Amino acid sequence: MTQKTTAKPFVTPRTSRSSKPGAVCSYGKPEKGQNEDEVQYAWNLVNNYTHREIDGLLDFAQPATAAGQEAAAQNVDFISDAMERILAKKRLPNGSGLDRRLLLQFANGIGEWINNGSSLPSEKPLYGYFSNFALFVAQCLKSVAAGNNPHIAHLILPADRSDFKPDDSNDSRRIDVGLALRGIGALVKCVSLGSYADTLCIVEAKHSRALDKDALAQLFLYSANLYARQGNRRYLWGLTICADEVYACMMLNDGLFVSPAMRISELVGRKMLISWLVRWSMCPEDRLGYDPTMHRVFDQSDLDVGGSDNDDVDDIRYRIDCYDDESKKTIKYVTKRTIMSADDMLGRHTRCFVAMRYTGSGTDSSATKVVIKDAWPPTNYPPLEDPRDEIKLLRKIHDTFKNDAPDHIYPKLIVGGHVRLDQEAVSTIDTTDTIFNAAGVKRIDPPSDSDADSAWKYQPLRAHRRIVMSPVGHSIKSVQNEAELIIVLVEAMQCYSSVLDGCGVLHRDISTNNILVVRDGENDIPRGLLIDFDFAVKVDTHERSARPERSGTLPYMSIANILNLDTPRTALDDWESLLYVVCWLAT
């Protein structure tokens, strides 16, 4: 299906950005009606961004090496043969290394799924059927690993409860089955899994094949919580079960890909589901959608958070490798708290963290706190050549002001670069192409009209960028009175004018989100900080205008911007946005 650009109905409290350069993001309606809007958005994803029957989807979950891929194929054949023998009540081959007694405990559920899956009155039996299937595969892989097979990286295990509300959920929705990643030494059983933060992927079930779209809508709706709770996810996987048919789903920034149906009542369908579970167990974590340059810190005992607000620390923290494109060096940081999460299925997946420098044995308690911004902006250029790269614009601001510091504060770039992955001993910039190339698939730039047979390959190029900057600010809503608000707005717009006059950078996104309050001490006079140069462009310092292009944040966009008039965008549009910011804050 050709990708469309139908807008999402936006909800409070999060903001969202379209997938296009120069896009629009929006504040929206109050909490009432939020659930309905999110359901509508999920159906928008199903109808306008989902590509079905992708035969090559399994290639995205392949082991990284040729030897691993060969071992995966052998393991699939081995496990498929064992399952069919157990189901047919035949003996396992001598020397297989499999424990028949252990496998039999899962066979009844698989057999019932095969025989009754297409005529179930409700979806509830499917939870157990699938869990038995996954445990059968995991038990076989554990036996193979015991024979010194080096290619099995982890086990995929189902949760010990189904149809449950995750502990870190902010709504009443319940997911059907969750899958978790465990080490190869783990016991093969259903595992304790209570949160989105610890979930590899979600499995949504329906009792009828005809409800396949409903299952997808629910999967997309719930999977957004994985992005929100996991700061180290590059993309997501998921499964839907519709009676006796299973679909694997891959969720990227601009497209949602669905495999052909795997019919459990047929041998070929069972073997294909085995293939998915085996390959997920044998591929590196980056092919499961995790970011190998962002490591979750489980033991925080050696982390000195420092500062005056030691108690204000998240339970989930990350050690992040931040590469600088200019110095070619990597600096490590540890997050203190998450201040912006990526809780949308599409777009830039922007995340922001307050962090401190990591020394190797812990954090430097004397170091200044910084903000790390991690995002996947679209680009029409090779990543390092993009003139609209926010890193380049911030570096220009830094170079302009470092020897002639202005009276106002401004975002100071400390580290700025593209995230790099080590793949087969080669350092590669993390982009959409990196994900596609790992599967041996060539991404194609979206044309104005696309061929339906290969439409899923038409995906915009996105580059994974990471910026470290200071100072750390707080929401503009933290001002204590009208006088403080005026002080903050005046200084933020002083920065705006200095950046435009001295650097030739037009911001183009004046909003309440992008003006922060900075205080040196609790009772100090606040200062205003202008941030987020995602939509900024270089302009001629004399003409100081940009080509007509709709960008910014609703409801603060200028009238010419909203109407997309064919007039140059100038500083007047941003000053008009400031008026709307004042009106919004006054209501």
Side-chain angles (χ1 to χ4, degrees):
M1 177 180 292
T2 303
Q3 179 177 309
K4 299 178 182 179
T5 55
T6 307
K8 168 186 173 179
F10 297 98
V11 294
T12 304
R14 65 180 183 242
T15 59
S16 178
R17 296 178 188 264
S18 154
S19 61
K20 292 187 173 182
V24 178
C25 62
S26 171
Y27 281 119
K29 55 185 66 176
E31 189 170 355
K32 182 179 179 181
Q34 176 173 333
N35 286 348
E36 291 80 1
D37 281 346
E38 290 179 339
V39 171
Q40 180 184 348
Y41 175 50
W43 277 101
N44 177 42
L45 296 178
V46 172
N47 293 326
N48 296 305
Y49 292 89
T50 300
H51 306 275
R52 308 286 298 268
E53 302 288 328
I54 307 301
D55 288 318
L57 195 59
L58 182 60
D59 293 335
F60 286 87
Q62 289 279 21
T65 66
Q69 293 167 17
E70 183 179 353
Q74 293 172 354
N75 287 336
V76 169
D77 290 339
F78 175 71
I79 296 172
S80 177
D81 178 70
M83 182 177 288
E84 299 310 311
R85 285 174 180 270
I86 292 291
L87 292 173
K89 299 181 178 179
K90 295 181 179 179
R91 296 183 59 182
L92 294 171
N94 292 331
S96 66
L98 299 176
D99 188 327
R100 181 181 181 86
R101 176 183 55 84
L102 292 176
L103 296 179
L104 280 173
Q105 64 183 318
F106 312 125
N108 287 340
I110 299 172
E112 289 182 22
W113 194 6
I114 293 170
N115 296 322
N116 305 323
S118 62
S119 57
L120 294 172
S122 76
E123 66 189 46
K124 289 188 176 180
L126 293 170
Y127 309 156
Y129 295 165
F130 172 79
S131 294
N132 278 301
F133 198 105
L135 290 170
F136 188 103
V137 174
Q139 185 63 60
C140 291
L141 286 173
K142 188 173 178 67
S143 298
V144 171
N148 294 321
N149 187 309
H151 300 291
I152 301 173
H154 27 247
L155 298 177
I156 308 296
L157 299 174
D160 60 0
R161 54 177 175 162
S162 55
D163 188 25
F164 68 98
K165 177 181 178 294
D167 300 334
D168 53 356
S169 174
N170 58 7
D171 56 43
S172 60
R173 297 190 179 99
R174 307 169 71 86
I175 65 174
D176 292 338
V177 179
L179 289 180
L181 207 61
R182 292 292 185 268
I184 197 64
L187 294 176
V188 177
K189 63 176 185 177
C190 292
V191 298
S192 175
L193 183 65
S195 66
Y196 286 117
D198 298 319
T199 301
L200 167 65
C201 68
I202 294 170
V203 183
E204 280 301 313
K206 297 295 178 186
H207 73 281
S208 169
R209 295 177 186 171
L211 296 175
D212 57 324
K213 285 190 173 183
D214 298 76
L216 284 174
Q218 279 192 287
L219 177 67
F220 299 155
L221 183 63
Y222 301 167
S223 292
N225 290 292
L226 298 185
Y227 278 130
R229 302 295 183 266
Q230 300 181 28
N232 61 340
R233 290 305 288 264
R234 299 158 66 231
Y235 57 87
L236 301 176
W237 291 102
L239 291 170
T240 60
I241 304 172
C242 302
D244 62 340
E245 293 184 342
V246 182
Y247 299 87
C249 308
M250 184 183 188
M251 294 162 261
L252 291 177
N253 304 73
D254 298 285
L256 310 164
F257 308 142
V258 183
S259 73
M262 295 170 270
R263 188 164 293 177
I264 299 304
S265 57
E266 299 175 359
L267 172 59
V268 65
R270 294 192 291 277
K271 189 170 184 179
M272 184 54 67
L273 181 54
I274 292 171
S275 296
W276 277 99
L277 294 171
V278 166
R279 283 167 171 78
W280 278 344
S281 300
M282 297 181 66
C283 70
E285 291 191 14
D286 65 290
R287 298 195 183 190
L288 292 174
Y290 290 99
D291 184 345
T293 69
M294 186 181 292
H295 312 276
R296 183 169 168 181
V297 179
F298 289 94
D299 181 6
Q300 301 186 21
S301 59
D302 66 339
L303 300 183
D304 180 0
V305 298
S308 59
D309 52 345
N310 287 351
D311 294 331
D312 189 12
V313 179
D314 287 347
D315 292 334
I316 298 177
R317 302 173 68 188
Y318 301 94
R319 188 177 71 251
I320 305 179
D321 299 337
C322 298
Y323 179 83
D324 188 80
D325 285 340
E326 188 172 79
S327 68
K328 314 298 183 188
K329 294 180 179 179
T330 297
I331 300 176
K332 297 181 183 295
Y333 292 86
V334 172
T335 64
K336 186 175 181 183
R337 61 181 180 270
T338 301
I339 54 178
M340 182 176 183
S341 61
D343 51 2
D344 201 342
M345 290 297 290
L346 301 178
R348 297 167 183 255
H349 293 165
T350 301
R351 300 174 172 98
C352 294
F353 310 90
V354 175
M356 300 185 72
R357 183 80 174 265
Y358 182 70
T359 62
S361 58
T363 51
D364 182 355
S365 60
S366 64
T368 303
K369 288 183 292 185
V370 298
V371 173
I372 298 177
K373 178 179 179 180
D374 185 276
W376 287 77
T379 177
N380 295 322
Y381 301 84
L384 295 176
E385 300 174 15
D386 187 353
R388 292 175 55 167
D389 179 357
E390 185 181 13
I391 299 169
K392 285 188 172 67
L393 298 179
L394 288 175
R395 206 177 297 282
K396 172 66 174 176
I397 294 170
H398 175 271
D399 293 344
T400 300
F401 293 155
K402 67 180 179 181
N403 295 322
D404 186 17
D407 294 332
H408 56 76
I409 57 176
Y410 61 94
K412 297 180 180 178
L413 181 69
I414 300 171
V415 179
H418 293 76
V419 174
R420 289 183 172 268
L421 307 182
D422 292 328
Q423 297 186 332
E424 298 183 9
V426 177
S427 179
T428 305
I429 293 177
D430 194 17
T431 66
T432 317
D433 281 338
T434 307
I435 298 171
F436 274 73
N437 292 342
V441 178
K442 181 174 176 55
R443 180 197 62 85
I444 307 172
D445 289 324
S448 56
D449 56 341
S450 60
D451 179 82
D453 293 336
S454 58
W456 70 279
K457 298 178 184 178
Y458 289 113
Q459 299 294 317
L461 177 63
R462 289 182 178 270
H464 190 182
R465 294 172 182 155
R466 191 168 290 157
I467 301 170
V468 182
M469 52 192 163
S470 68
V472 177
H474 300 275
S475 168
I476 196 170
K477 296 178 182 178
S478 67
V479 295
Q480 298 174 6
N481 50 52
E482 293 86 350
E484 286 195 350
L485 175 61
I486 293 173
I487 291 171
V488 168
L489 292 177
V490 167
E491 183 163 14
M493 295 311 288
Q494 282 180 328
C495 176
Y496 172 88
S497 296
S498 294
V499 168
L500 179 59
D501 295 337
C503 310
V505 175
L506 185 65
H507 189 276
R508 304 199 311 162
D509 191 15
I510 302 298
S511 68
T512 55
N513 255 12
N514 294 338
I515 298 175
L516 299 183
V517 179
V518 177
R519 296 180 191 269
D520 294 329
E522 185 176 348
N523 298 317
D524 288 349
I525 296 175
R527 308 197 69 180
L529 176 66
L530 182 65
I531 63 165
D532 196 350
F533 287 75
D534 263 345
F535 293 158
V537 292
K538 285 279 292 177
V539 295
D540 184 281
T541 53
H542 298 290
E543 294 184 1
R544 304 204 312 181
S545 65
R547 70 178 187 274
E549 184 177 68
R550 198 164 181 254
S551 65
T553 303
L554 292 168
Y556 312 112
M557 293 164 56
S558 69
I559 293 175
N561 207 355
I562 290 176
L563 298 178
N564 205 22
L565 298 180
D566 188 22
T567 56
R569 302 291 182 259
T570 69
L572 291 178
D573 291 276
D574 285 339
W575 284 99
E576 183 179 339
S577 294
L578 178 66
L579 294 177
Y580 303 141
V581 167
V582 174
C583 292
W584 184 274
L585 293 172
T587 57

